[in-house]
Amino acid sequence: MWHEARKHERKLRGMMVDYKKRAERRRGDYEKIKKDPAQFLQVHGRACKVHLDSAVALAAESPVNMMPWQGDTNNMIDRFDVRAHLDHIPDYTPPLLTTISPEQESDERKCNYERYRGLVQNDFAGISEEQCLYQIYIDELYGGLQRPSEDEKKKLAEKKASIGYTYEDSTVAEVEKAAEKPEEEESPAEEESNSDEDE
């Protein structure tokens, strides 16, 4: 009895520890998703003297110690500047100014059409974004409704078995009269069905 109680207590303690660890991992994942530290990055700076001796500080900041970077006298750098180790910095061209071929432009136009077509259709139909997203969720979860086509309905109708049954109060004479009618005297509905079959 005592062993079973200890065993059950250990099991409960293990479950509690597992739940706590799982909750911590989940909280950590949510924190990572919730905010990106790069969004809140702030850089503050102020001028300060590197050297305590004013004569050494003046000598370090004098224009004599500055050198032009890549021969450009407008861009003067210190000899300890990291840019002195770079050979070349390529010119940056913003993506809006880059030229694209007509073929790429046509492809981009088609992509944008497909991208925004659903939004325009939903706006025209008066469907809210939440309703549309919920419908997509339902379709992905349960699959779309597949309605049988006309051909499938006909095939299913042919496979069905028809079983004749005569009720006690029904008369057999009507069925016999219909069977005894000569085939030459067809009703207009039968003529139309025959003409459809001929076509």
Side-chain angles (χ1 to χ4, degrees), residues 167-184:
Y167 294 99
E168 293 176 9
D169 59 343
S170 65
T171 57
V172 182
E174 295 174 4
V175 176
E176 290 176 0
K177 285 180 186 176
E180 291 175 1
K181 274 189 182 179
E183 292 181 8
E184 297 170 357

Side-chain angles (χ1 to χ4, degrees), residues 2-180:
W2 181 79
H3 293 293
E4 291 178 11
R6 282 290 285 163
K7 187 176 180 181
H8 186 67
E9 184 180 333
R10 281 190 203 129
K11 183 178 177 183
L12 288 176
R13 188 177 299 133
M15 287 173 56
M16 288 173 52
V17 169
D18 288 345
Y19 286 142
K20 186 184 278 187
K21 286 181 181 176
R22 189 178 299 138
E24 288 173 3
R25 281 196 307 263
R26 192 179 301 128
R27 190 178 308 115
D29 291 341
Y30 287 148
E31 289 297 322
K32 286 179 193 172
I33 293 170
K34 188 170 69 173
K35 2 177 184 172
D36 180 20
Q39 293 176 348
F40 304 107
L41 182 66
Q42 295 181 355
V43 179
H44 300 278
R46 60 181 175 174
C48 66
K49 300 288 182 187
V50 177
H51 304 284
L52 297 177
D53 188 8
S54 60
V56 176
L58 282 174
E61 292 179 3
S62 70
V64 174
N65 292 332
M66 303 296 279
M67 61 183 212
W69 183 61
Q70 292 187 345
D72 185 9
T73 55
N74 293 331
N75 193 0
M76 300 295 284
I77 60 171
D78 187 289
R79 65 183 178 145
F80 299 109
D81 195 323
V82 72
R83 290 177 289 176
H85 298 288
L86 297 175
D87 294 332
H88 174 69
I89 294 180
D91 293 334
Y92 173 72
T93 56
L96 295 176
L97 300 178
T98 57
T99 58
I100 57 174
S101 68
E103 183 179 306
Q104 290 174 333
E105 188 175 345
S106 172
D107 290 343
E108 187 67 27
R109 204 176 294 126
K110 288 177 185 175
C111 288
N112 281 334
Y113 173 78
E114 289 297 326
R115 185 177 295 137
Y116 299 112
R117 179 176 59 154
L119 294 174
V120 172
Q121 288 174 344
N122 290 341
D123 189 36
F124 180 76
I127 300 171
S128 70
E129 187 175 352
E130 289 81 16
Q131 290 172 332
C132 180
L133 291 175
Y134 182 72
Q135 184 61 40
I136 291 170
Y137 167 73
I138 294 296
D139 289 345
E140 288 178 352
L141 191 62
Y142 300 112
L145 296 176
Q146 297 177 353
R147 296 187 178 99
S149 64
E150 293 295 325
D151 296 333
E152 292 175 4
K153 286 180 183 178
K154 288 179 183 177
K155 288 178 184 176
L156 291 175
E158 290 173 2
K159 290 181 181 179
K160 291 182 182 176
S162 59
I163 301 170
Y165 183 78
T166 307
Y167 294 99
E168 293 176 9
D169 59 343
S170 65
T171 57
V172 182
E174 295 174 4
V175 176
E176 290 176 0
K177 285 180 186 176
E180 291 175 1

